[in-house]
Amino acid sequence: VLGRGRLFHQQPGVLPHLLAADQIGGLTGVLRADLQLQIAELSRRAGDEATARRYFETFLAENEVDPRVYAVRVKLASLAKGAAP
């Protein structure tokens, strides 16, 4: 919830907390896929393309039938081109 709120309200500072949460196995009540996408998107917005790419790719590998797969592929393609989606 914290990541989602900061993601949509453009508030800085949550990314390190989400990365730490991922390292300890996630957050209670937050799906791993949601955490992955929050980290990926916040990393992309912060200009950390390597982290964004890693989390987008992990999401794709673990969530083949998620309806967000297409949007994630578009974002990955734009990262490869160096453009913002």
Side-chain angles (χ1 to χ4, degrees):
V1 175
L2 179 62
R4 187 174 295 137
R6 291 194 184 250
L7 182 67
F8 291 112
H9 294 291
Q10 307 281 331
Q11 295 178 348
V14 74
L15 185 56
H17 298 285
L18 294 177
L19 289 166
D22 185 51
Q23 288 183 349
I24 62 167
L27 297 167
T28 302
V30 176
L31 296 175
R32 178 165 166 73
D34 292 341
L35 181 61
Q36 290 168 340
L37 291 182
Q38 288 174 11
I39 292 170
E41 183 60 22
L42 288 170
S43 297
R44 185 187 68 80
R45 289 182 184 187
D48 184 353
E49 292 183 13
T51 300
R53 184 174 289 110
R54 184 173 78 245
Y55 276 90
F56 281 139
E57 289 172 349
T58 300
F59 170 84
L60 290 175
E62 295 178 5
N63 302 282
E64 296 174 3
V65 296
D66 191 291
R68 299 171 287 188
V69 164
Y70 176 76
V72 169
R73 286 188 178 140
V74 168
K75 289 183 185 227
L76 266 174
S78 70
L79 281 174
K81 294 178 184 177

